[in-house]
Amino acid sequence: MKLALALRELHRSERGLAVKLDAVAARHQGDHAIRHVATDLTGWSRNHVDEIATVGRHYGLHLRWRPHVAALSAPLQQRLSELVGRRQEPALVLLADLRRVYQLAAGVSVDWELLAQGAQAAKDERLLQLSQRCHPETLRQMRWANAMLKELAPQTLTS
Amino acid sequence: MTDRIAEPWGARTPYGRGERWPERVDSYLVDGVTPESVDHWVQSAAVLHSNGDGLDIAVTDGRMVGVRGRAIDRVNHGRLDTKDLFGWQANASPDRLTEPLVREDGELVPADWDTAMDRFVERSKSLLSEHGPGSIGFYTSGQLFLEEYYTLAMIARAGIGTNHLDGNTRLCTATAGEALKESFGCDGQPGSYTDVDHADVIASFGHNVAETQPVLWMRMLDRLAGPNPPAIVCVDPRPTPVARHATVHLAPLPGTNVALMNALLYEIIRNDWVDHEYIASHAVGFDELSARVGDYPPERAASICDVAADDIRHAARLLGTADALLSTVLQGFYQSHQATAAAVQVNNLHIVRGMLGRPGCGVLQMNGQPTAQNTRECGADGDLPGFRNWANDSHVAELAKLWNVEMGQIPHYGPPTHAMQMFRYAEQGSLQMLWVSATNPAVSLPELARARSILGQDRLFLVVQDIFRTETAELADVVLPAAAWGEKTGTFTNADRTVHLSEKAVDPPGTARPDLEIFLDYARRMDFRDKDGRPLPPWDDAESAFDAWTKCSAGRPCDYTGLSHDKLRDHSGIQWPCNAEHPDGTERLYAGGRFSAQPDYCESYGKDLVTGAPLEPTEYRAMNPDGKAVIKAAEYLPPHEPPSPAMPFVLNTGRTLYHLHTRTKTGRAPQLRDAAPEVWVELAKADASRLGVHEGDLVEVRTPRGAVTAAARITGIRNGVVFIPFHYGYWDLASADGHHRAANELTITDWDPVSKQPLFKTAAAQVMLVRPGSGAAPAPTTTASAPISSGVPDTVGGPAATAVELRLHGAT
């Protein structure tokens, strides 16, 4: 059974998404819609990481529960974002960041998909329920990044 | 005769359930003028709140000399709010703007109209050619007329072709519109004020109706004084007049509305106070709601919201067993954390109970400003005119055809830019010109230090169109003097879809011009043209603008095709939709469970209630192919700036009965000015004792963004909440003196991801005693700011504030 492998990969990718969202929230202090919603969405990924770690024990995994998911550079990023708040360059950085969030969330989404497929084949209710609980939130994270890109890109790319 | 400062709601005219609300004609005329000596009465309606009370303006020798309620008006049956009785006097204030101003060497100096307009037009043209339409933005109001918004919408969207047009309605009513779009696919108030006559339970969610719509509260008070009075459910952290009359008063911690609403719905579903037949025929999404609210038993909500679980059950029983439930919602929900998610739960309550479109069964998602509804309808607030869907190409094509412009000229590649994002673009420098009409963002936006720094930038060309030299005008490059209400003709629509005509009564001062004229002058100087080279907009006055609007509204939910200036002149308030099928207007929307939510017709496909991401058209079509009501569930999320040991209070801002907005008008009417002359801070008794603060002591309220110093009023507000009225800026002070007066010095920049409405009710604050006071705080004693200690002098107006209240059986 390679379900443990899928879980381990999911733990890694979900943690990566949490760190990225946290960094985006810190880096774009002046873009309040980004800052506050990214913080809320970091919470979703953190919960997912915890749930994966908890379930992982049943599959012989010792995944870190409550790992460090805050971006290490957050305080520096915050300070920087205040200093460049009046400039246009951060708008371009924001597009790049949202693009990365979208890609990472898409990766996590595929990982949930894989887990769910495997869980169905193995008739593993526990993993299937885990996926059904968490995967919709990953899709919402993806849609958010896409929607913000769509909203912000016209101004950034034409100014 | 009544002192209407001391008794804002006047005398009672009790009536019973299902009866007609009796008439009471309120009037106020200046000293020495009698009804017989008035030259003529000019038809209008109230503009100092959203209630739309019909009134006539008394004119003698070309001057306004008073006002009188219109007995035949469907909204007020003759009554007037205290603000309307006295506020009109501001029109004749000696400090009105009477000529344009332009900035020369850092100073605003008088100029003629050609100089001011040419400077402005020249800048517009050079920005358009060098940086494109995205460099120009418009920030308008909830105070202009329908004709003016529609004109502005055409200028911005078809003339300039910018996506950046929004109103200050973003601050007051965006969540109302958004909540209606989420639940019913389209904006449009479901209920009617006449629902007050029929309801057996009235629930007010974050809505201090007594102070925001005093005439609507008079109607409720008259029901309460009559036989079979309704039960009142009140959700508000303050001891409002509504709370004092409530059967159940829930005072949740600000920012926890979703948890509370979910618990109320939990009880309603658990007790099966649910209209399953209605849901099966007319709604989608019930199962998701049922599952979601399953996580919110009253005990859990009680611990989140800090209210008693039994009170939640009691309120749920009233809501769940009402046979005609009327709900009203306002800023306590709209300007609080998870605004749309919370307001949508009120809609859900009515959908699951099948209580829509029948007498007494209404939702009133309110707004604060007199013409905010028109900002929404006409597309001046981040939607397309006529409740058209920017994400539906056929709607955009329809509009392009109507306007005779290329479809590509109307930006629809993304949602229209909301105000807070426009200010962000200005902060970053990509938005370089902002035209502000009839609003005062330098006092009304959150986090004022930031707002001032954005508006005051040299690189931002700021045009301000107003009737007074506001705090925002002081930062402008060009100031345009506008005619006020009563000095121009136009129409506007209140919070229950009632359309009124407001006629010109007197001339504007100096060279001030109606806003419509200014917009059209700009369009002509910019030489906007349609595909066939005809001038855009093609109209030239208020009546032709209105007629053009009726065509734009044809077939849409806000259908005005049955209305004209003449018809409105013959009546006193008609509710849209008004068309051939409904020539007398329509009292309630959604009768028989018929909604405007069909995928091809709806105004919006809806959004994610947490992230705000719009649904794709295909997703919406799959979810709601038949255009039913949409029940949307939401999880509770903690506020973004919760109280902490260093900042233990939750800051709440709001208004008082005697003022509107930044007091540009009400602060210039002596009776209103004196009733609430200066800012104050409300504290609960337990909190005040702990801080050693007594009534009238000077306190400082501080947040990470600034500090406000004011006298403390000790009230029955819930513990842990500090309230400051937001009306007080700096125009009537000799100097701004470090900016320690406006409540928005303290507020956080954060907005609801769905409606984009800024949050003014959830920020963490600390409170400190500065020094003992020498008397009571300057807060009214008649309202939610009533003191709990004795010895505070009553708020009275005296002889200058005496108004006539004429009832059928004689004057009182």
Side-chain angles (χ1 to χ4, degrees):
Chain A
M1 293 282 259
K2 304 192 177 54
L3 283 171
L5 199 66
L7 262 184
R8 184 188 295 278
E9 174 55 20
L10 194 53
H11 186 263
R12 191 196 61 78
S13 64
E14 188 76 79
R15 195 180 152 195
L17 176 59
V19 172
K20 181 68 188 175
L21 281 166
D22 193 56
V24 167
R27 191 178 299 159
H28 301 283
Q29 291 286 298
D31 288 283
H32 295 80
I34 301 296
R35 162 187 175 179
H36 294 301
V37 177
T39 304
D40 290 340
L41 299 191
T42 307
W44 288 0
S45 284
R46 281 185 185 154
N47 288 340
H48 295 178
V49 169
D50 289 352
E51 289 215 37
I52 294 163
T54 308
V55 169
R57 293 197 194 112
H58 299 284
Y59 299 84
L61 294 172
H62 295 284
L63 300 169
R64 282 174 66 190
W65 192 73
R66 296 258 160 106
H68 187 79
V69 291
L72 291 171
S73 58
L76 183 69
Q77 299 275 15
Q78 276 184 23
R79 181 85 189 102
L80 263 175
S81 87
E82 282 157 23
L83 290 174
V84 298
R86 282 297 182 78
R87 300 179 58 90
Q88 289 191 34
E89 290 82 354
L92 215 51
V93 175
L94 178 55
L95 292 191
D97 276 339
L98 287 168
R99 188 166 170 272
R100 188 72 189 130
V101 168
Y102 182 84
Q103 290 172 327
L104 288 173
V108 177
S109 171
V110 169
D111 288 345
W112 281 118
E113 194 75 58
L114 291 177
L115 185 75
Q117 291 300 98
Q120 284 184 80
K123 298 192 171 51
D124 187 327
E125 264 307 301
R126 184 162 42 204
L127 287 185
L128 191 59
Q129 278 177 15
L130 175 72
S131 175
Q132 282 168 347
R133 252 193 332 271
C134 300
H135 191 192
E137 290 183 338
T138 310
L139 292 171
R140 291 166 75 187
Q141 290 168 320
M142 258 173 90
R143 283 195 204 107
W144 171 75
N146 189 51
M148 291 313 296
L149 277 168
K150 199 170 166 181
E151 185 180 326
L152 299 173
Q155 185 76 3
T156 306
L157 298 179
T158 60
S159 63
Chain B
M1 305 290 271
T2 308
D3 177 344
R4 288 292 297 275
I5 295 293
E7 295 174 61
W9 306 284
R12 296 281 56 80
T13 50
Y15 72 122
R17 191 174 180 190
E19 291 172 9
R20 187 185 151 78
W21 189 28
E23 288 166 6
R24 185 191 89 189
V25 176
D26 298 356
S27 63
Y28 172 78
L29 294 169
V30 292
D31 247 359
V33 175
T34 62
E36 296 72 34
S37 72
V38 169
D39 286 349
H40 48 274
W41 295 90
V42 180
Q43 180 176 351
S44 183
V47 284
L48 295 171
H49 48 76
S50 66
N51 212 51
D53 304 322
L55 61 80
D56 289 320
I57 304 169
V59 178
T60 293
D61 299 330
R63 290 185 311 117
M64 288 187 191
V65 291
V67 288
R68 182 176 68 194
R70 289 170 67 85
I72 60 162
D73 196 279
R74 68 167 297 276
V75 171
N76 55 326
H77 295 208
R79 289 162 191 78
L80 290 179
D81 165 27
T82 301
K83 285 186 287 297
D84 299 307
L85 285 167
F86 308 115
W88 57 270
Q89 299 167 99
N91 272 42
S93 231
D95 58 343
R96 280 285 299 273
L97 280 169
T98 56
E99 56 190 346
L101 306 170
V102 296
R103 193 165 291 279
E104 293 285 355
D105 301 324
E107 296 292 313
L108 284 173
V109 297
D112 59 29
W113 274 95
D114 278 336
T115 307
M117 290 303 288
D118 284 346
R119 185 173 293 201
F120 172 22
V121 164
E122 203 178 300
R123 179 61 74 101
S124 308
K125 284 182 174 165
S126 73
L127 281 174
L128 260 184
S129 67
E130 285 165 36
H131 299 279
S135 60
I136 298 176
F138 298 81
Y139 184 53
T140 189
S141 180
Q143 310 269 327
L144 297 180
F145 289 161
L146 175 152
E147 294 82 354
E148 293 163 339
Y149 296 130
Y150 186 49
T151 302
L152 193 58
M154 185 183 265
I155 287 173
R157 309 248 186 254
I160 299 280
T162 179
N163 213 7
H164 310 327
L165 163 62
D166 200 3
N168 66 5
T169 46
R170 185 63 58 188
L171 278 51
C172 88
T173 189
T175 302
E178 195 58 46
L180 294 169
K181 285 187 258 183
E182 294 299 327
S183 299
F184 308 117
C186 191
D187 196 352
Q189 190 70 277
S192 166
Y193 288 167
T194 51
D195 287 332
V196 173
D197 309 346
H198 302 282
D200 69 332
V201 176
I202 298 176
S204 284
F205 297 96
H207 181 203
N208 181 7
V209 54
E211 298 191 58
T212 54
Q213 286 86 14
V215 172
L216 184 58
W217 179 238
M218 292 176 204
R219 198 171 193 144
M220 294 179 187
L221 281 175
D222 286 344
R223 273 292 318 275
L224 289 168
N228 311 315
I232 305 276
V233 175
C234 172
V235 178
D236 203 310
R238 294 174 74 213
T240 63
V242 186
R244 271 175 235 135
H245 284 84
T247 318
V248 187
H249 174 206
L250 303 169
L253 261 180
T256 64
N257 292 329
V258 167
L260 180 67
M261 291 308 303
N262 281 353
L264 292 170
L265 286 161
Y266 171 99
E267 278 293 290
I268 283 166
I269 292 173
R270 191 184 65 87
N271 286 293
D272 203 26
W273 294 318
V274 170
D275 188 337
H276 293 285
E277 206 171 304
Y278 187 89
I279 293 171
S281 310
H282 304 299
V284 295
F286 177 71
D287 292 343
E288 193 196 333
L289 179 78
S290 198
R292 174 66 71 188
V293 302
D295 296 337
Y296 297 86
E299 277 70 21
R300 176 163 180 230
S303 72
I304 295 172
C305 310
D306 189 26
V307 296
D310 278 344
D311 288 347
I312 296 176
R313 284 192 201 94
H314 187 187
R317 178 166 291 277
L318 285 171
L319 301 171
T321 58
D323 57 54
L325 171 67
L326 169 65
S327 295
T328 71
V329 195
L330 197 62
Q331 309 307 2
F333 274 39
Y334 300 166
Q335 294 179 339
S336 194
H337 179 60
Q338 294 196 282
T340 307
V344 158
Q345 303 316 313
V346 179
N347 296 340
N348 287 346
L349 172 63
H350 282 259
I351 298 169
V352 303
R353 297 231 52 227
M355 293 215 174
L356 285 165
R358 290 184 282 126
C361 302
V363 177
L364 293 171
Q365 298 280 359
M366 298 296 292
N367 49 47
Q369 296 185 86
T371 73
Q373 182 56 49
N374 305 108
T375 321
R376 280 152 59 180
E377 293 159 12
C378 296
D381 76 329
D383 283 300
L384 293 184
F387 295 157
R388 284 181 175 79
N389 189 343
W390 65 267
N392 182 337
D393 277 353
S394 71
H395 285 200
V396 183
E398 200 176 78
L399 195 62
K401 187 170 171 229
L402 181 78
W403 288 356
N404 194 33
V405 298
E406 296 294 344
M407 193 172 147
Q409 175 67 8
I410 303 171
H412 60 284
Y413 37 74
T417 315
H418 61 92
M420 300 307 291
Q421 191 63 47
M422 283 199 311
F423 288 106
R424 176 61 179 153
Y425 290 151
E427 186 175 41
Q428 292 189 314
S430 65
L431 191 146
Q432 301 181 50
M433 189 185 102
L434 185 66
W435 185 355
V436 175
S437 46
T439 186
N440 189 12
V443 181
S444 54
L445 285 182
E447 198 177 347
L448 283 183
R450 175 169 177 260
R452 278 189 298 268
S453 81
I454 294 171
L455 293 168
Q457 295 175 100
D458 283 342
R459 64 180 176 179
L460 176 71
F461 191 81
L462 180 67
V463 180
V464 172
Q465 177 172 321
D466 211 305
I467 62 173
F468 288 104
R469 197 162 159 166
T470 60
E471 291 85 341
T472 308
E474 294 299 339
L475 303 168
D477 295 283
V478 172
V479 179
L480 304 173
W485 162 90
E487 299 163 359
K488 59 180 186 178
T489 292
T491 55
F492 58 93
T493 306
N494 78 346
D496 86 337
R497 293 174 282 104
T498 305
V499 189
H500 284 100
L501 177 70
S502 177
E503 300 238 53
K504 177 178 171 176
V506 300
D507 287 325
T511 65
R513 300 162 72 189
D515 297 270
L516 180 67
E517 240 182 85
I518 302 173
F519 293 145
L520 287 172
D521 185 13
Y522 175 79
R524 301 292 178 257
R525 287 175 198 256
M526 289 295 291
D527 199 27
F528 296 134
R529 302 272 171 176
D530 71 6
K531 280 199 295 197
D532 299 318
R534 283 184 299 243
L536 205 69
W539 51 84
D540 47 29
D541 62 11
E543 195 160 358
S544 50
F546 186 87
D547 292 342
W549 162 251
T550 62
K551 292 188 185 73
C552 180
S553 73
R556 296 300 300 161
C558 52
D559 195 332
Y560 278 66
T561 48
L563 294 172
S564 64
H565 277 199
D566 280 342
K567 184 165 174 180
L568 291 165
R569 199 171 279 126
D570 291 341
H571 291 73
S572 202
I574 300 174
Q575 287 172 290
W576 65 247
C578 176
N579 49 22
E581 197 186 333
H582 305 284
D584 301 320
T586 308
E587 196 161 26
R588 294 177 185 86
L589 301 184
Y590 311 143
R594 288 182 299 277
F595 299 96
S596 299
Q598 299 76 15
D600 294 327
Y601 189 70
C602 67
E603 182 185 11
S604 167
Y605 301 125
K607 295 176 182 172
D608 186 310
L609 289 185
V610 169
T611 69
L615 263 70
E616 292 298 322
T618 47
E619 291 174 276
Y620 184 78
R621 201 173 283 278
M623 172 190 74
N624 192 20
D626 302 320
K628 295 180 177 182
V630 180
I631 298 174
K632 279 200 168 174
E635 70 263 46
Y636 163 74
L637 293 173
H640 295 133
E641 192 178 81
S644 63
M647 297 267 170
F649 286 89
V650 182
L651 171 71
N652 218 290
T653 73
R655 62 167 71 168
T656 181
L657 181 140
Y658 301 101
H659 288 299
L660 177 69
H661 286 180
T662 59
R663 292 174 308 129
T664 29
K665 279 177 161 181
T666 53
R668 288 172 168 95
Q671 297 88 339
L672 302 173
R673 180 195 61 208
D674 297 344
E678 187 50 80
V679 67
W680 70 89
V681 169
E682 288 171 24
L683 279 173
K685 189 178 179 187
D687 291 328
S689 312
R690 211 180 51 249
L691 296 164
V693 172
H694 302 91
E695 170 71 34
D697 287 354
L698 200 67
V699 296
E700 182 187 271
V701 181
R702 180 171 285 280
T703 72
R705 292 151 299 271
V708 164
T709 314
R713 162 60 48 87
I714 318 299
T715 76
I717 195 169
R718 66 152 293 141
N719 289 344
V721 178
V722 54
F723 174 88
I724 308 180
F726 60 52
H727 305 292
Y728 302 88
Y730 304 100
W731 62 263
D732 54 340
L733 294 183
S735 87
D737 197 24
H739 295 110
H740 295 307
R741 194 189 196 201
N744 279 321
E745 304 293 349
L746 308 175
T747 43
I748 186 173
T749 303
D750 185 7
W751 55 81
D752 179 50
V754 188
S755 68
K756 320 295 183 189
Q757 183 158 351
L759 311 184
F760 295 98
K761 311 269 190 202
T762 32
Q766 67 178 147
V767 182
M768 284 167 298
L769 174 67
V770 177
R771 61 168 181 271
S774 54
T781 60
T782 45
T783 57
S785 56
I788 47 167
S789 56
S790 52
V792 175
D794 290 339
T795 298
V796 293
T802 306
V804 175
E805 291 175 1
L806 193 69
R807 282 183 278 175
L808 281 178
H809 52 273
T812 59

